[in-house]
Amino acid sequence: MSSGPYFGSFGGRWVPEALIEALDELEAAWEKAKTDPEFATELERLHRTYTGRPSIITEVPRFAAHAGGARVILKREDLNHTGSHKINNVLGQALLTRRIGKKRVIAETGAGQHGVATATAAALFDLECTIYMGAEDTRRQALNVARMRLLGAEVVPVTTGSQTLKDAINEALRDWVTNVDTTNYVFGTVAGPHPFPALVRDLQRIIGVEAREQVLELTGALPTAVLACVGGGSNAIGIFHAFLDDADVRLVGLEAAGDGVDSDRHAATLTKGRPGVLHGARTFVLQDEDGQTVESHSVSAGLDYPGVGPEHSYLAEIGRAEYRPVTDEAAMEAFRLLCRTEGIIPAIESSHALAGALELGRELGPDATLLVNLSGRGDKDVETAGRWFGLLDEEGER
Amino acid sequence: MSSQTTEKIETLRGEGRAAFMTYLPVGFPDVAGSVDAVRAVIDAGADIVELGVPYSDPVMDGSVIQRATQAALAGGVRLRDLFHVVEQVAGQVPIVVMTYFNPVLAYGVDAFARDLAAAGGAGLITPDLIPDEGQEWIEAADRHDVDRIFLVAPSSTPERLALTARATRGFVYAASTMGVTGERASVGAQAEELVARTREAGAPRVCVGLGVSTGSQAGEVARYADGVIVGSALVRPLLEAPDRPTGLANLRTVAEELARGVRGARSERT
């Protein structure tokens, strides 16, 4: 597996010179930490006693009845502390921050999952913490803003550009350029300049390592396909990686198609984008003819991103993974179906992977076993879902 | 091979002074307005003009330049407008283009160098392209005989300064401070040291940008650098003026003050 800076022709460091020293420092610290048994022991202890790892797998037969009778097994990252896979990355990077000797962390967040995870780790490790969040997202996810503030983080609403995740990353990069002496940037996904795509992947890899063993134990065989939603792509890379050498296992990433990939309101970067540079990496980007980044749209704030991690661009290019679009509507139907049939409220992000499983199950039939990364839980999405399905009492009427 | 910016800076060095370089974004307040603004700063004494390409994700820019470039994009400025503007203002002083790299990739690296040269442009400043990723651009710049201006920062190691000095044609752009563009009360003390370190690493010409906003700051920098680059302080009068003639008049006043600051300082390196 590549540890960067390049994945084929993707990746690299398309950043201002001012950041190179910090990226070099982070890379060197990670190269040292990842072979250091003491680091591994400490991270393992945190995952066991704080995150709640290993996360379980759950077979969901009532849901699977709608998926052409295929077996469907969920990897339950939604049960982690803070409610998603983001904690896997953040605890590792917080340990790394301590090793580098910096006292302040910054992070970007879209839906708020990564911001909450970073604020959590900052509280645990006694680090000063600033979270950049698009002003539009602070309105959509007001409760997560309150959660981050409860945890002691400063939340800065970003009012530039489209006021969403990509602009939050821009603002975090500006902070980092200015305060790099004291500050570590805890990047939330497998995008960005090297070493972030490799570093975040290495920290998320545990999802697939655990799941591969758990599925083998449960079914006696490898799954037919592994499915995960892709925004920046950290939960997908995390579950895909342990299966890369299992040539018979299909790896399927599900992108947010919003109103549909033929509309101009979607976030299906690998389906509709083309190679370019965004946030420090050469990768697929939703962009216009002049190379201006195009605003993305998705019902799920966590997938609402016009770029994608460079390793996904590479896996798509070589054909090792396939990427399919899922509309808002299909994702919300899968969301409701899992609630009703299995008593599990998934994150809307993860619901894109569930919708992908319904579709793929119907294509493959009852002989298939589908492993789906349930990357997060849906507590944060209850208001969105309530409005989508008309479940909220309005003006006193039901 | 001749570099317009090298010739200009060397000529001014012969006269015992540094170059005054002005940044203005293309398409702000609109395309014609940006041509007027460039003409105004040339009249006011700019020795080299930087034309900025508005970009959707300008991570190196502070709020003043962000506001202007976002307004330019909202006004519908296109990449092809850049080449038209270069064509209209080239001839009197060297015109260099400052752009984030994705627009260049989208246009085609070789085509961009070719069309820039054809329009009379002198070269390209690339704030988010390090030489390590710049092979395609370096070759295209050679083919079309335009300058490639890379940046160094106070955090750059001696090895990276040497790498950047080798890859550069024209001048090295030294960021005075760790941070983004914008006016500051003082120019970082690190700037003078960075200029010295960059020269030691082999760069014959080093210009300083980021944070310069007054004539006296410009004069201070002009004593040790080969050029003084000003951006936000020139964009602000255009942003804040109640109407266009006032904006241009105020721009001219600020540019004249800065030019006097640069010209008043005798270079220590004659």
Side-chain angles (χ1 to χ4, degrees):
Chain A
M1 78 183 107
S2 168
S3 57
Y6 302 103
F7 305 91
S9 65
F10 300 104
R13 283 180 171 177
W14 303 77
V15 292
E17 168 69 20
L19 289 179
I20 297 300
E21 196 203 10
L23 292 168
D24 278 344
E25 177 185 55
L26 195 60
E27 181 184 11
W30 178 237
E31 288 303 317
K32 216 169 139 203
K34 74 180 183 187
T35 55
D36 179 353
E38 208 173 299
F39 184 89
T41 303
E42 176 66 1
L43 188 58
E44 192 275 333
R45 187 190 66 78
L46 279 168
H47 278 334
R48 186 164 32 82
T49 63
Y50 191 75
T51 310
R53 301 209 74 88
S55 65
I56 59 173
I57 58 169
T58 303
E59 180 156 12
V60 286
R62 279 175 35 78
F63 177 84
H66 300 264
R71 286 185 83 167
V72 177
I73 298 164
L74 307 181
K75 176 63 173 168
R76 300 292 305 279
E77 293 298 302
D78 61 316
L79 298 178
N80 293 341
H81 180 45
T82 75
S84 80
H85 69 292
K86 293 294 186 187
I87 192 81
N88 302 331
N89 169 42
V90 156
L91 289 177
Q93 290 209 49
L95 277 175
L96 212 51
T97 303
R98 197 164 69 184
R99 287 198 158 206
I100 296 170
K102 291 182 176 173
K103 300 283 187 216
R104 176 175 181 260
V105 290
I106 56 173
E108 82 292 348
T109 198
Q113 296 293 80
H114 176 59
V116 167
T118 304
T120 299
L124 182 66
F125 283 76
D126 191 21
L127 299 165
E128 192 188 329
C129 178
T130 301
I131 304 293
Y132 291 96
M133 187 169 185
E136 177 66 28
D137 291 334
T138 61
R139 285 186 288 272
R140 288 196 279 194
Q141 302 283 345
L143 273 179
N144 268 342
V145 173
R147 284 172 84 191
M148 289 183 270
R149 288 179 176 151
L150 278 172
L151 292 161
E154 177 194 13
V155 180
V156 180
V158 176
T159 55
T160 53
S162 56
Q163 312 196 6
T164 59
L165 177 58
K166 85 172 176 69
D167 307 285
I169 294 176
N170 292 340
E171 205 54 35
L173 285 169
R174 291 185 191 110
D175 180 319
W176 205 27
V177 168
T178 308
N179 299 301
V180 70
D181 278 353
T182 59
T183 299
N184 191 28
Y185 186 1
V186 178
F187 205 73
T189 189
V190 289
H194 176 69
F196 289 120
L199 164 59
V200 177
R201 185 229 20 230
D202 292 347
L203 290 168
Q204 293 292 3
R205 221 179 151 268
I206 191 166
I207 303 171
V209 170
E210 287 176 5
R212 189 174 182 279
E213 198 173 309
Q214 290 166 321
V215 170
L216 273 174
E217 194 184 351
L218 179 73
T219 69
L222 289 170
T224 315
V226 179
L227 299 95
C229 64
V230 178
S234 69
N235 91 81
I237 281 289
I239 198 162
F240 286 176
H241 236 260
F243 296 94
L244 279 185
D245 294 335
D246 301 320
D248 293 339
V249 178
R250 283 172 72 173
L251 304 177
V252 185
L254 289 311
E255 298 195 297
D259 291 348
V261 291
D262 296 323
S263 76
D264 58 2
R265 290 175 57 84
H266 62 78
T269 308
L270 287 161
T271 307
K272 299 292 280 190
R274 58 196 164 85
V277 164
L278 180 64
H279 295 141
R282 183 171 187 278
T283 189
F284 275 72
V285 180
L286 293 177
Q287 55 184 317
D288 71 10
E289 193 193 336
D290 280 357
Q292 308 289 350
T293 311
V294 169
E295 283 181 31
S296 54
H297 291 277
S298 168
V299 65
S300 123
L303 302 183
D304 196 349
Y305 181 58
V308 66
E311 192 167 8
H312 285 295
S313 292
Y314 174 64
L315 292 175
E317 187 181 62
I318 64 171
R320 178 62 190 96
E322 57 198 285
Y323 297 84
R324 300 177 169 203
V326 171
T327 61
D328 285 354
E329 202 173 325
M332 292 310 291
E333 280 310 313
F335 175 98
R336 179 158 68 177
L337 189 62
L338 192 73
C339 294
R340 294 281 178 88
T341 57
E342 302 287 348
I344 297 170
I345 301 179
I348 297 176
E349 288 79 7
S350 320
S351 301
H352 288 71
L354 293 167
L358 292 174
E359 185 184 88
L360 190 63
R362 288 169 198 149
E363 288 169 26
L364 298 178
D367 293 338
T369 302
L370 308 180
L371 171 65
V372 179
N373 196 7
L374 198 70
S375 55
R377 64 175 173 241
D379 306 35
K380 69 184 175 60
D381 296 317
V382 168
E383 196 188 333
T384 304
R387 247 183 285 118
W388 183 276
F389 295 115
L391 308 176
L392 302 175
D393 292 343
E394 277 172 34
E395 294 166 25
E397 287 175 33
R398 178 165 288 271
Chain B
M1 287 213 328
S2 75
S3 153
Q4 293 182 41
T5 62
T6 300
E7 271 178 36
K8 184 73 171 193
I9 291 168
E10 294 297 340
T11 303
L12 294 176
R13 181 182 286 174
E15 296 169 14
R17 73 172 178 92
F20 171 43
M21 306 172 53
T22 58
Y23 166 95
L24 291 166
V26 168
F28 183 77
D30 55 24
V31 174
S34 59
V35 171
D36 292 341
V38 169
R39 290 187 173 140
V41 293
I42 293 174
D43 284 349
D47 299 304
I48 295 174
V49 167
E50 282 178 27
L51 278 174
V53 176
Y55 176 54
S56 51
D57 296 276
V59 296
M60 272 292 282
D61 285 310
S63 63
V64 169
I65 291 176
Q66 278 185 54
R67 272 157 63 205
T69 53
Q70 277 188 37
L73 287 172
V77 68
R78 296 295 309 270
L79 216 39
R80 58 175 171 266
D81 296 320
L82 166 75
F83 299 107
H84 293 152
V85 172
V86 172
E87 231 164 41
Q88 288 179 64
V89 298
Q92 284 177 269
V93 302
I95 308 291
V96 294
V97 168
M98 183 157 194
T99 181
Y100 292 91
F101 210 63
N102 200 48
V104 180
L105 288 171
Y107 195 85
V109 174
D110 189 76
F112 199 103
R114 179 197 67 208
D115 291 356
L116 180 66
L124 211 55
I125 303 174
T126 50
D128 63 349
L129 182 73
I130 55 174
D132 318 53
E133 306 287 3
Q135 203 49 47
E136 191 184 359
W137 160 238
I138 288 169
E139 288 165 14
D142 278 343
R143 262 194 307 277
H144 298 286
D145 201 19
V146 289
D147 288 346
R148 36 174 198 266
I149 297 148
F150 291 101
L151 279 73
V152 294
S155 61
S156 300
T157 59
E159 295 74 29
R160 294 204 56 82
L161 292 175
L163 169 80
T164 308
R166 276 198 306 277
T168 294
R169 195 189 111 155
F171 62 91
V172 171
Y173 186 130
S176 68
T177 182
M178 297 298 287
V180 297
T181 59
E183 300 130 292
R184 289 180 177 79
S186 68
V187 176
Q190 305 169 100
E192 184 166 5
E193 190 199 331
L194 176 59
V195 170
R197 290 202 301 128
T198 308
R199 286 195 178 118
E200 267 168 46
R205 286 162 298 280
V206 186
C207 302
V208 170
L210 260 57
V212 182
S213 50
T214 66
S216 68
Q217 285 174 343
E220 182 195 319
V221 174
R223 275 189 285 278
Y224 59 80
D226 298 303
V228 183
I229 306 166
V230 183
S232 299
L234 296 167
V235 176
R236 181 184 295 281
L238 295 176
L239 264 176
E240 293 181 347
D243 57 62
R244 213 167 273 195
T246 313
L248 275 179
N250 293 350
L251 168 66
R252 189 184 297 261
T253 305
V254 174
E256 282 167 353
E257 184 208 323
L258 288 158
R260 271 196 304 276
V262 174
R263 284 159 200 254
R266 290 298 296 183
S267 170
E268 289 166 1
R269 307 179 68 248
T270 49

